[in-house]
Amino acid sequence: MILSKIPTSGSNIPPLGIPSPGLPTPSSNVALRILRALASLKLTLVLIILLLAGVLIIYYTHTRFVWALAVPFIGFAINLAATVLTNPVFRRQMALLIFHLALIAIAVLIALDWLTYLKGRIEIVEGETFTGQTMSEESGPLHNRRLGKLQLTNENFTVNYTNTDGRLRRTDTRNQVAWVAPDGRSGRSVIGDQEPLLLGGYRFYTTTNKGFAPIFSWRPADGSAEKIGAVHLPSFPRDYLQQKNEWKPPGSSTSVWILLQMEEEIFSRDKPSELRVPDKHKIVVRLNAPQGDNDQRWELKPGDSVPLPDGVLTYQELRKWMGYDVSYNFTLPWLLAASVLAVLSMAWHFWRKFSARPWNPSSGNPNSGNTNAENPGPEHFQQAAADTTADEPGK
Amino acid sequence: MELQILWVALVTYVLAGSLSIIGFVMQRKPERAILALLVLGVVLHTTAIALRWERMGHGPYITMFEALSSGIWNLLLIYTLVYWRIPAIRATAAIIMPILFLMMGWMMMFTPSEVGHKPQVYHTIWLYIHIGFAKVFISTVFIAVGISGIILSRRTEYGAMRFAHLPNDSRLDDLSFRFMAVAMIFQTLMLITGAIWAQDAWGRYWDWDPLETWAFITWLFVIFSLHLRHTYKTKPHTGALLVIGVFIMAFLVFFGVPFVSTDFHQGVGRS
Ligand code: HEM
């Protein structure tokens, strides 16, 4: 059924090409024509395909190849803005206008997020305080980093496990923290799983990445002050066979291997249990000698010391460390608001459009009715002149 | 016990489906009987799922068996509602039900295993809202598929004859795209609530994990098909093919991606 060729009727809005007030006068016809070209719905289709390609590129190359998304998004913004300016449909259909404006807002907010976000990982030993040093982080070019202005102390945490059918399953994580916000306020909170700590716009989430950390004191041979340090062993229980790490005491040139040997089971085989520091364990320290010659090895209990070439290393105790994800996305609530607005206005638009015509088209002669509002059929479609399909740019 | 109830529900569905196929071939319209059977089947099925939920302590979305069972349940729940309220779509039963038979057959190939554990991130209300929207989305597309099936089958002489009493193709096309529009709204809500859940659970609202990515690609397909139909005033059978394409895509994402990768969303992976 080729009804789209039938000219629009029943509308008092000037067809495209006749500039409406506020738009360029005929002397700037070229600008108008460009604007109309940019407002093409065919361009929208092309942009959707470009976005699709961009998504696939991001997904399969595992990169944050921003341009793959930025180009279609900028395209959408231009295409939408041009359409909002030139398409009379948007002057008549409030819902559709709000919807597409919300889409523009979403595109702008996503761009702002790219410019200002921060995403990082940190690890804090129980009893230790984070003061801004992340393990890794990435951020947008306009991010105003204030992580150094806040403090977060990991006071203690528990991670619970069940053991069903011989498989260990993590259940809940609870972490007590003390904090000082960038503005000087301080307090204590319990966070864990889906409850983050919100501090100066940053969100700190506990993660499943956590483990053990032997604490050492280090007395340099040159007589300078004693220092305390923690060696974070790999994630536990995920890397339970790899509980070792290479380490250089602060200021020392000696590299050692630190290995944790547990002499008891942490998790019960038949009842729920909790991640805890093993009471029975020893720490093995090995000099990391280049050729394997001179291979020295010590087994330490708390309080034991090792004489290294440039100082004395004393094993103090074993503690746990917790890994956190930290993120900053100030656009988040706005993005949510714009998305909700988009959905509501879209629902409103379709509601109006559909309630103008019955859901149950009358049955009967298959060759009679038609659905296109340009040519309202005799019975059902009288109200349909206000329908969205009535105006179509680029026809 | 709950398994027996489930089997009775399936038999009831099969009866409803058979009746609609017989009605189609014989050119009868036993619509009230079909509606009654559908309602009975859905009530029984709901009972079976509720009993299992009660017993297992988690909803029907952990194993493939559960996912298929609840998938069939929500398709039929919404289909039955629409069947009751919008008589214009009743003829689609002859197309919809055989597709569901395939799903039921597929479900029978899995044992209703007893294991299943809900990762910690699943303990949030957003999960249920998110899954609820997803279910309405796919069910609504499914109804559009039924209508599209009629449009396409009418291109054959047999189909044209059997479906002669229905409104013409372009009205069916309009009806089918109404369901697609409703589907798109719920799909958008699904994406938004999914992002809220992800933010809750893993501290990031979007991370291009396989399910997120493919759900977004499906959304783009839906948008594309709506705009294509709008821009080019596509013919009913083109629209029908678009709808079926969207459904296949959505179905693969629903029942494929979560069960190919080991967890629903990759973020759940670490222990
Ligand atoms: C980015 C460039 C876009 C432009 C220029 C654009 C423009 C338009 C226009 C002119 C209409 C027709 C209104 C009418 O005559 O009824 C429309 C309808 C619509 N657009 Fe867009 N749009 C864009 C993107 C999107 C996107 C990304 C979505 C995704 C949700 C979307 C969803 C819709 C919907 C749902 C309708 C209503 C269709 C109908 O009534 O059948 N648009 N759009």
Side-chain angles (χ1 to χ4, degrees), chain A residues 89-152:
Chain A
V89 139
F90 285 124
R91 246 152 287 149
R92 215 180 34 198
Q93 309 236 352
M94 181 65 103
L96 206 62
L97 175 63
I98 295 178
F99 167 65
H100 284 86
L101 288 178
L103 280 185
I104 297 183
I106 290 172
V108 169
L109 286 168
I110 290 177
L112 272 179
D113 187 44
W114 274 339
L115 291 172
T116 58
Y117 82 102
L118 176 136
K119 190 173 143 181
R121 286 194 316 121
I122 57 182
E123 291 176 6
I124 317 177
V125 175
E126 279 177 331
E128 210 185 48
T129 299
F130 164 80
T131 51
Q133 201 80 49
T134 54
M135 310 285 289
S136 68
E137 75 179 55
E138 53 181 80
S139 60
L142 299 185
H143 180 74
N144 171 21
R145 196 176 188 283
R146 304 204 305 158
L147 268 180
K149 298 205 174 86
L150 55 83
Q151 285 181 23
L152 173 62

Side-chain angles (χ1 to χ4, degrees), chain B residues 1-268:
Chain B
M1 175 64 176
E2 91 234 355
L3 270 185
Q4 272 103 321
I5 299 180
L6 178 62
W7 299 142
V8 178
L10 294 189
V11 170
T12 316
Y13 292 150
V14 171
L15 283 179
S18 312
L19 207 56
S20 58
I21 295 169
I22 293 169
F24 166 71
V25 176
M26 312 281 287
Q27 289 195 286
R28 293 272 153 73
K29 292 205 268 179
E31 288 177 355
R32 304 191 76 166
I34 293 173
L35 180 59
L37 282 171
L38 285 176
V39 171
L40 180 65
V42 170
V43 169
L44 288 169
H45 198 165
T46 310
T47 314
I49 287 179
L51 286 175
R52 184 177 172 89
W53 193 325
E54 174 67 28
R55 193 169 60 80
M56 305 281 293
H58 64 72
Y61 38 70
I62 304 293
T63 65
M64 190 68 182
F65 179 85
E66 291 169 347
L68 279 168
S69 172
S70 74
I72 293 168
W73 172 81
N74 76 263
L75 290 177
L76 272 160
L77 173 71
I78 291 180
Y79 185 67
T80 305
L81 278 174
V82 175
Y83 191 93
W84 169 46
R85 295 301 303 159
I86 306 179
I89 63 101
R90 289 188 182 165
T92 58
I95 287 165
I96 292 279
M97 295 307 291
I99 301 178
L100 283 168
F101 290 172
L102 291 180
M103 272 181 82
M104 293 177 202
W106 189 21
M107 182 178 89
M108 309 265 213
M109 288 163 55
F110 295 90
T111 43
S113 93
E114 296 298 309
V115 298
H117 167 86
K118 189 160 70 158
Q120 183 62 24
V121 293
Y122 288 6
H123 294 273
T124 144
I125 184 72
W126 289 109
L127 165 72
Y128 298 101
I129 301 176
H130 172 67
I131 291 182
F133 284 141
K135 284 182 179 303
V136 178
F137 155 63
I138 191 130
S139 308
T140 321
V141 179
F142 192 50
I143 295 168
V145 165
I147 303 171
S148 301
I150 295 182
I151 296 174
L152 290 181
S153 69
R154 267 184 173 172
R155 310 197 85 203
T156 67
E157 215 170 292
Y158 185 75
M161 193 174 72
R162 295 290 150 177
F163 287 126
H165 61 285
L166 296 177
N168 72 349
D169 280 356
S170 77
R171 282 203 209 169
L172 289 183
D173 179 55
D174 176 67
L175 195 56
S176 141
F177 268 85
R178 285 183 179 209
F179 284 103
M180 289 300 279
V182 175
M184 197 258 277
I185 289 171
F186 281 97
Q187 189 187 18
T188 310
L189 287 168
M190 170 194 92
L191 289 178
I192 296 171
T193 50
I196 295 175
W197 175 34
Q199 181 68 40
D200 244 27
W202 308 303
R204 88 290 185 292
Y205 59 95
W206 198 265
D207 203 34
W208 302 114
D209 83 15
L211 200 47
E212 276 169 1
T213 307
W214 286 106
F216 185 68
I217 290 174
T218 313
W219 185 80
L220 284 178
F221 263 117
V222 173
I223 298 302
F224 184 79
S225 65
L226 283 174
H227 269 91
L228 188 74
R229 180 173 176 278
H230 195 89
T231 310
Y232 286 98
K233 293 276 176 282
T234 50
K235 296 217 165 59
H237 71 266
T238 315
L241 290 174
L242 284 174
V243 169
I244 291 172
V246 165
F247 181 71
I248 292 175
M249 173 110 203
F251 191 87
L252 290 179
V253 173
F254 253 60
F255 293 101
V257 178
F259 295 94
V260 170
S261 65
T262 46
D263 290 299
F264 273 24
H265 285 277
Q266 241 177 17
V268 191

Side-chain angles (χ1 to χ4, degrees), chain A residues 60-97:
Chain A
Y60 281 109
T61 60
H62 299 283
T63 53
R64 296 193 160 255
F65 182 53
V66 184
W67 285 109
L69 297 182
V71 168
F73 268 124
I74 294 169
F76 274 134
I78 295 172
N79 184 211
L80 265 169
T83 309
V84 169
L85 284 176
T86 57
N87 195 335
V89 139
F90 285 124
R91 246 152 287 149
R92 215 180 34 198
Q93 309 236 352
M94 181 65 103
L96 206 62
L97 175 63

